Amino acid sequence: MEPGHILVRALFAYLFLLVLVRLSGQRSIAQGTAFDFVLALVLGDMVDDLLFAEVSAATFVAATGTLALVHLLAADLSRRSPALSHLVSGSPTVLLQDGVPNLRNLRRERLNEDDLEALLRRQGVAREAWGDVACARLESEGELSVILRRPRRELQEGDLR
Amino acid sequence: MDLQELLLTAARAVAVYALMLVVIRVLGKRTVGNFSAFDLLVALMLGEVVDEVIYGDVSFLQGTVAIGTLAAVEYANSWLSLRSQAFARLTEGAPARLVVSGQFQRREMGREHMSEEDVRAALRLQGVEDPQEVRQATLETDGEVSVIRERWAEPAQKSDLGPARKHAKKDAKAKRAGGKGRKRRD
């Protein structure tokens, strides 16, 4: 295989995926859900078959284009229907409320208390400080959001007035 | 490459999309990428298999079996980690304490192949320059460092204003009248 062809195909794949990602309006993979992340991996994996001419450019465009289109369609539909959104990306799960772990929800996410401790630690909340937490939710991105109880939350401008 | 072949490719892409959606929803939020290094690897494996299916290099049935098996093992893994702490330690690893009460934990750091400068860099990424501010810094199972600060090094909280908030207006008036403002407690 001629190196020149590979160069042209690499350029084509790069530009095509760039356009695809910009059209899909995805700002960053990190902000997305686990599914967005895997989809990005898949798109990346589809490139090498094109580079080494295992598939034609038309097939590459059809495959990646369809994936992006379906993803866009799913996002659009779930924007309109909360029920579908719930189905596609899940909903936040409350793991800790008023300092008390929600064991049922933890089990549902297959997390144990050590996992919860680690998740909270990442947000700067020590085990002894669980009582300061009003609500900790596992968001659909897979990250834990922590809302502290009023006395423990950061000082706000309004508190000084 | 005729049109029919392209349509077939598109159809496989749609089918695979639906399959992946189901797999990831079943695996839940904890999987794929943010729990341990191995979760990331599983995501990579899934991704690698999927493109073969879309291009028709393997049949849809073969692809489904491969993806289904990977997903089932990953599910079983997280289920077992939930039941058994020993198993969790084996597959996820355990968090390592790098700094406790401002002191570098050399033995743990050595085990994780981290130098003092590595740890200092990790602390800086969390906005901490002085290790004395750290109550506990932990190397988590996915390789990120979490930092819990000493109480005095945390940002001011509402409770730091003291219980006398009711009298805030009076205080403000007193201040305007030339009185001393309340001193901030440690």
Side-chain angles (χ1 to χ4, degrees):
Chain A
M1 193 186 320
E2 280 180 56
H5 289 178
I6 299 179
L7 188 137
V8 172
R9 286 199 204 95
L11 266 176
F12 172 74
Y14 183 96
L15 291 174
F16 184 74
L17 284 185
L18 185 64
V19 170
L20 214 58
V21 169
R22 292 296 294 125
L23 280 181
S24 77
Q26 198 81 43
R27 285 194 182 271
S28 98
I29 303 296
Q31 264 176 8
T33 59
F35 189 67
D36 292 323
F37 176 63
V38 175
L39 202 65
L41 291 178
V42 172
L43 286 180
D45 283 332
M46 307 206 74
V47 173
D48 64 305
D49 295 78
L50 172 69
L51 293 193
F52 304 121
E54 282 157 26
V55 300
S56 69
T59 309
F60 173 78
V61 169
T64 53
T66 307
L67 278 181
L69 204 68
V70 175
H71 195 51
L72 215 57
L73 208 67
D76 209 46
L77 284 176
S78 55
R79 203 159 48 87
R80 274 161 219 211
S81 144
L84 190 71
S85 157
H86 182 92
L87 196 75
V88 170
S89 43
S91 50
T93 319
V94 174
L95 297 184
L96 188 78
Q97 188 137 38
D98 299 321
V100 183
N102 186 326
L103 297 178
R104 232 187 61 193
N105 283 349
L106 279 172
R107 215 171 21 240
R108 191 173 298 157
E109 299 292 343
R110 295 191 307 292
L111 299 168
N112 57 30
E113 272 198 40
D114 284 347
D115 295 329
L116 180 60
E117 205 178 317
L119 280 168
L120 281 159
R121 210 161 43 214
R122 284 150 186 273
Q123 306 294 326
V125 179
R127 178 96 202 203
E128 308 85 77
W130 279 18
D132 298 338
V133 176
C135 192
R137 300 178 184 86
L138 191 62
E139 305 288 348
S140 23
E141 290 83 21
E143 268 185 70
L144 192 77
S145 67
V146 176
I147 307 294
L148 294 174
R149 284 175 46 226
R150 280 181 71 78
R152 282 286 177 238
R153 68 166 164 65
E154 242 175 83
L155 210 52
Q156 295 173 336
E157 192 74 28
D159 296 329
L160 298 173
R161 240 172 258 136
Chain B
M1 185 59 55
D2 53 318
L3 187 66
Q4 201 190 346
E5 194 82 16
L6 288 182
L7 285 176
L8 214 59
T9 303
R12 282 194 297 256
V14 174
V16 160
Y17 182 92
L19 180 67
M20 280 196 304
L21 197 58
V22 172
V23 163
I24 285 165
R25 286 289 287 123
V26 169
L27 288 180
K29 299 182 197 105
R30 66 162 290 164
T31 39
V32 208
N34 61 18
F35 238 81
S36 64
F38 195 70
D39 287 331
L40 179 65
L41 205 61
V42 171
L44 291 172
M45 285 194 278
L46 283 175
E48 285 287 344
V49 175
V50 163
D51 70 299
E52 307 285 326
V53 184
I54 296 177
Y55 284 142
D57 293 340
V58 300
S59 76
F60 194 75
L61 179 69
Q62 287 172 319
T64 308
V65 171
I67 292 167
T69 307
L70 281 176
V73 177
E74 174 75 355
Y75 190 94
N77 181 0
S78 63
W79 190 84
L80 281 170
S81 314
L82 183 59
R83 306 289 133 149
S84 148
Q85 220 151 42
F87 188 82
R89 256 158 212 268
L90 195 70
T91 58
E92 279 169 19
R97 288 181 185 200
L98 303 175
V99 181
V100 176
S101 304
Q103 302 298 311
F104 288 101
Q105 306 295 302
R106 310 269 168 207
R107 254 186 48 197
E108 292 275 291
M109 281 161 58
R111 209 172 295 151
E112 303 294 341
H113 310 290
M114 285 183 91
S115 67
E116 189 180 311
E117 194 38 53
D118 293 336
V119 177
R120 280 179 186 275
L123 295 182
R124 281 197 298 269
L125 285 169
Q126 306 288 325
V128 177
E129 172 96 70
D130 178 6
Q132 291 306 317
E133 292 180 13
V134 177
R135 178 138 63 100
Q136 189 187 319
T138 313
L139 181 64
E140 304 290 353
T141 49
D142 70 347
E144 269 189 68
V145 175
S146 70
V147 174
I148 291 176
R149 296 177 195 220
E150 295 282 10
R151 192 72 184 80
W152 57 264
E154 273 181 28
Q157 299 170 347
K158 198 174 159 73
S159 60
D160 293 330
L161 288 176
R165 286 317 291 158
K166 272 180 277 179
H167 309 301
K169 271 192 190 145
K170 229 192 282 171
D171 284 354
K173 221 180 270 172
K175 209 174 197 172
R176 250 176 285 146
K180 274 183 201 158
R182 280 180 306 127
K183 272 187 189 144
R184 190 182 169 279
R185 298 183 314 156
D186 184 29

